[in-house]
Amino acid sequence: EAGVVQSPRYKIIEKKQPVAFWCNPISGHNTLYWYLQNLGQGPELLIRYENEEAVDDSQLPKDRFSAERLKGVDSTLKIQPAELGDSAVYLCASSLLGGAQETQYFGPGTRLLVL
Amino acid sequence: AQSVTQLGSHVSVSEGALVLLRCNYSSSVPPYLFWYVQYPNQGLQLLLKYTSAATLVKGINGFEAEFKKSETSFHLTKPSAHMSDAAEYFCAVLRVTGFQKLVFGTGTRLLVSP
């Protein structure tokens, strides 16, 4: 079974430029998560989707960040414009139904460097 | 609100020695607790989880953790460290107030020397 796929794995951009990250969850997983992981920190949830509906986007900085999950499968996270402080690892995870006890399966992440 | 504290950003052990990674939680309700491992340049992988069943939880790769309510702890242990155990370990608690989500600790990097 294929795991969570993310691309690109690495991205270097200049500040004020836009950037997008793509995530393909495990087949059949209804719930998808985007996390932000700063250096030396644990992941922090940005947004959670159940199918195509964003059910928790309270931690997503909506002035510059946006996300979508068309058809309830793949998802894209966008930053426009990027700032120096956005340099971090962006992790995508998925789970079957999104219940409280369910295991989340993480992708390898996209490492973003903003210059 | 639920939270976890991981004591020690780095832990060094020799191969074959006992591994002990500490995690203390704060929760006003019975918590769901998790340990995840992150190998370099990889995503997080679930090691084990506590969901109010047995207090001693066995996970993958020989790891286990014991839930101690009196100490508000959920420490991760492994009797004998292997070189392949070198990684970052994260303790997490499920926040159940408001939107449910995992709240992670700051992580502990385990270093294993020959």
Side-chain angles (χ1 to χ4, degrees):
Chain A
E1 178 182 270
V4 176
V5 179
Q6 291 188 247
S7 69
R9 292 293 313 277
Y10 304 92
K11 188 74 176 179
I12 301 175
I13 61 172
E14 295 187 346
K15 63 181 181 181
K16 301 184 181 179
Q17 294 300 306
V19 64
F21 315 125
W22 175 81
C23 174
N24 177 242
I26 293 174
S27 178
H29 280 194
N30 293 336
T31 305
L32 184 146
Y33 311 77
W34 282 104
Y35 287 88
L36 165 68
Q37 186 177 19
N38 286 305
L39 187 65
Q41 300 294 316
E44 299 175 33
L45 182 68
L46 289 173
I47 189 168
R48 174 167 69 99
Y49 282 93
E50 290 184 6
N51 297 306
E52 64 273 13
E53 181 183 358
V55 296
D56 181 3
D57 63 356
S58 57
Q59 299 304 307
L60 189 71
K62 299 181 182 62
D63 57 335
R64 298 185 299 107
F65 286 66
S66 64
E68 61 182 9
R69 190 184 185 197
L70 299 177
K71 300 182 181 179
V73 182
D74 295 358
S75 178
T76 303
L77 178 69
K78 298 178 181 179
I79 308 175
Q80 183 172 9
E83 297 179 351
L84 296 178
D86 297 331
S87 295
V89 177
Y90 293 82
L91 295 166
C92 179
S94 69
S95 63
L96 187 59
L97 295 175
Q101 304 177 35
E102 283 210 21
T103 298
Q104 296 183 25
Y105 295 87
F106 284 78
T110 296
R111 188 175 298 271
L112 174 67
L113 178 61
V114 182
L115 301 176
Chain B
Q2 287 86 6
S3 66
V4 290
T5 301
Q6 292 185 244
L7 299 176
S9 59
H10 292 80
V11 170
S12 295
V13 300
S14 299
E15 192 173 20
L18 171 70
V19 175
L20 171 61
L21 304 182
R22 299 178 185 274
C23 174
N24 288 90
Y25 69 89
S26 173
S27 179
S28 57
V29 298
Y32 293 125
L33 295 162
F34 305 78
W35 274 100
Y36 279 83
V37 61
Q38 186 176 32
Y39 297 102
N41 298 317
Q42 295 187 28
L44 280 71
Q45 179 183 8
L46 180 69
L47 278 175
L48 49 82
K49 59 183 177 183
Y50 169 75
T51 57
S52 75
T55 56
L56 182 62
V57 183
K58 294 186 183 298
I60 61 172
N61 301 340
F63 284 93
E64 63 182 36
E66 186 173 7
F67 174 75
K68 292 187 177 180
K69 184 178 179 180
S70 61
E71 299 177 8
T72 61
S73 68
F74 190 57
H75 301 332
L76 182 70
T77 60
K78 182 174 181 178
S80 176
H82 193 272
M83 296 294 289
S84 61
D85 294 326
E88 187 93 21
Y89 291 80
F90 292 95
C91 181
V93 63
L94 183 70
R95 192 190 78 175
V96 296
T97 54
F99 292 113
Q100 290 186 348
K101 68 175 185 179
L102 285 178
V103 177
F104 287 87
T106 53
T108 297
R109 182 168 298 279
L110 177 65
L111 306 171
V112 183
S113 57

